[in-house]
Amino acid sequence: MTCMVHTDSAAERSAPQSAAKPASLRSDRRAWLVVLAACAGQFLVVLDVSVVNVALPSMRADLGLSATGLQWVLNAYSIAFAGFMLLGGRAADLFGRKRMFLLGLGLFTAASIAGGLAQEGWQLVAARAVQGLGAAVLAPATLTIVTAAVPAGPARTRAIGTWTAVGAAGGAAGGFVGGLLVDLLSWRWVLLINVPVGVLVLMGALVWLTESRAHGGRRLDLPGAVLVTGGLASVAYGIVQTEEAGWGDPVTLAPLLGGLALLGAFVAVEARTAAPLMPLRVFRSRAVTSANAALLLCASTSFGMWFFMTVYAQNVLGYTPLQAGLALVPSSVSVIIGSKLAPRLMPVTGARNLAVIGALVAATGFGWQSTMTTDGTFLSIILGPGVLMMAGMGLLMPPLATLATAGAEPGEAGLVSGLVNTSRTMGGALGLAVLSTVAAARTAGGHTPEALTAGYALAFRTAGVVLVAAAVLMLLWLPRPERTKV
């Protein structure tokens, strides 16, 4: 009798344990499906920053765009993306992360159709601006969804590493995907390819994502939203004007100074508002402030890398768009490998130290790339430096994103995620404008391979110096390893 009681008791104890394992597996599987959907959305919005580069000549020939109009095909997306990012992040907190993810992705997909079917240059530019708006709503929600789906600890660090790798792969794949589509189909498919992918991600998000939002009301700080959006958009507009007009021209200074004034007014309003769009207390966190500053500096070099490598391969080495894209595939792979290695290395090195190491590895690649010549070989002047540059970027982005988001309150997760994406996007826009100005100053209007190469080389050398400065800043300012939770 005693034996029977003991046996039944053991069976009762073992049954819940055996049942818990499948439940845990289902939970883990669902969490990673959520991460997959969020990462797919992030891939699309980052891809469209760079994918149109190799399609610009075809767009110009087909739609009769001027040089200025062609520039705005790129700038309309970047300005809208950067300008509305914080608003998108706060909206995700207040109105629901799933809802804003679906809204942003739907808007992005619809704008891709409009851009792909554009018959006039202004239609294409307008569609790109709406794409940027959709991306600004979508992108902050992706990182918030990732951090909410996976509990804090090593699993979340791996998830953020995956999100970073996919985002980096989106930027890296732009040249290859664009070249392939332009060569095999037409420039229109650079935009239309987003449609089937967007629809698939929308379907997955409807099934896998669950709604979540911040507690405590649904009030949106409209004065703050108007000021920060106008300020960021104005600064971004001024930045992109520098390539054509220079830094001292009134058409550059007016939007830059006006944008800075609007951002100053935004800070004053946020300090007095009961429910601010950007609670200034988030900047009391050393990790949030320092990590975003480092992200801005590092992103200022990575956007330029893809642009200058693409134009160097085509304008100097004579590669076709597809060949240029293929030449950058190893770099694309290296940034993914670096991003996936980072979560495994962070517990050993600490987030700060790994970010510093990544910046120095990338700086080495930029220095190597600055030795480019007009007759450089693929192995010595594209493959080697490209792998170093992007492996370094892959190593430094996950620890910075982890540091920036780790201290966020649950009700401010979307806001901090939006801040991370804003730092990356504004850093990229600023960096590309500055590096383009540096290259143009060295070229001095020359269009020979020798003149172009000299300008590109100086841009890479300048980017390397910026990365060394970023490494010093991170070493001095980021939290020490023993204080960092990953």
Side-chain angles (χ1 to χ4, degrees):
M1 186 73 174
T2 304
C3 182
M4 287 179 64
V5 171
H6 175 74
T7 302
D8 291 344
S9 178
E12 290 170 1
R13 287 195 304 270
S14 63
Q17 292 176 357
S18 61
K21 290 181 179 179
S24 176
L25 288 174
R26 286 194 298 271
S27 176
D28 291 345
R29 190 180 300 113
R30 181 178 181 84
W32 283 99
L33 287 173
V34 170
V35 170
L36 175 63
C39 287
Q42 179 70 0
F43 179 85
L44 280 177
V45 300
V46 177
L47 177 74
D48 266 60
V49 174
S50 60
V51 72
V52 300
N53 281 338
V54 297
L56 292 176
S58 300
M59 291 176 175
R60 183 173 188 174
D62 194 14
L63 300 180
L65 287 163
S66 65
T68 301
L70 202 62
Q71 185 183 27
W72 277 102
V73 174
L74 298 175
N75 296 338
Y77 184 86
S78 297
I79 289 174
F81 193 8
F84 288 93
M85 191 84 75
L86 287 180
L87 181 60
R90 194 55 175 164
D93 284 334
L94 295 179
F95 303 121
R97 285 75 186 244
K98 178 178 180 178
R99 180 176 299 171
M100 299 313 294
F101 181 95
L102 296 174
L103 174 63
L105 185 54
L107 191 61
F108 181 89
T109 304
S112 297
I113 298 174
L117 299 179
Q119 300 300 311
E120 301 286 343
W122 69 266
Q123 295 172 353
L124 177 59
V125 171
R128 289 284 288 169
V130 178
Q131 263 193 319
L133 174 60
V137 174
L138 170 63
T142 63
L143 183 53
T144 309
I145 288 168
V146 167
T147 55
V150 184
R156 179 180 291 177
T157 302
R158 289 194 300 273
I160 291 177
T162 300
W163 177 86
T164 305
V166 170
F176 169 69
V177 173
L180 187 66
L181 292 173
V182 171
D183 273 12
L184 297 182
L185 299 170
S186 77
W187 68 263
R188 295 183 181 278
W189 280 97
V190 167
L191 299 172
L192 293 176
I193 192 64
N194 294 325
V195 179
V197 178
V199 170
L200 286 175
V201 177
L202 277 169
M203 293 171 60
L206 282 169
V207 174
W208 298 330
L209 300 187
T210 56
E211 188 58 277
S212 66
R213 62 171 61 90
H215 299 291
R218 297 165 63 89
R219 180 183 173 187
L220 186 64
D221 173 22
L222 288 178
V226 171
L227 287 171
V228 73
T229 300
L232 288 174
S234 183
V235 168
Y237 176 80
I239 288 169
V240 299
Q241 287 294 94
T242 59
E243 186 173 353
E244 183 177 348
W247 289 93
D249 194 285
V251 301
T252 298
L253 289 175
L256 280 176
L257 295 177
L260 291 175
L262 288 174
L263 292 176
F266 167 71
V267 172
V269 167
E270 298 306 278
R272 294 172 173 80
T273 301
L277 174 69
M278 170 64 77
L280 299 182
R281 64 178 178 272
V282 301
F283 293 106
R284 296 173 187 168
S285 167
R286 177 179 174 182
V288 170
T289 305
S290 58
N292 275 283
L295 278 167
L296 187 144
L297 283 176
C298 295
S300 73
T301 66
S302 64
F303 278 37
M305 178 269 180
W306 295 117
F307 176 77
F308 287 111
M309 288 286 277
T310 301
V311 295
Y312 168 68
Q314 293 183 75
N315 294 343
V316 176
L317 301 183
Y319 287 20
T320 67
L322 180 56
Q323 288 172 331
L326 288 171
L328 296 179
V329 167
S331 303
S332 306
V333 173
S334 68
V335 73
I336 296 171
I337 292 173
S339 297
K340 296 302 290 181
L341 282 176
R344 299 176 182 274
L345 296 175
M346 267 191 278
V348 178
T349 64
R352 183 193 68 163
N353 291 343
L354 185 59
V356 170
I357 291 169
L360 294 177
V361 170
T364 302
F366 275 88
W368 185 357
Q369 187 65 59
S370 71
T371 65
M372 59 174 52
T373 61
T374 57
D375 57 352
T377 65
F378 168 73
L379 291 177
S380 65
I381 216 63
I382 292 182
L383 177 63
V387 167
L388 279 181
M389 284 187 282
M390 288 298 100
M393 288 294 171
L395 288 174
L396 69 86
M397 289 296 181
L400 291 178
T402 300
L403 284 168
T405 57
E409 297 294 330
E412 296 171 355
L415 172 65
V416 174
S417 299
L419 186 60
V420 168
N421 279 292
T422 300
S423 297
R424 292 174 61 177
T425 307
M426 286 297 292
L430 173 62
L432 183 55
V434 170
L435 294 175
S436 295
T437 303
V438 167
R442 182 61 176 269
T443 303
H447 296 287
T448 65
E450 291 78 12
L452 292 174
T453 300
Y456 301 155
L458 183 58
F460 278 105
R461 197 152 40 245
T462 303
V465 172
V466 171
L467 281 168
V468 171
V472 173
L473 178 143
M474 291 187 285
L475 193 62
L476 297 176
W477 196 6
L478 287 176
R480 296 182 180 276
E482 60 269 24
R483 298 178 184 178
T484 301
K485 295 180 180 179
V486 296

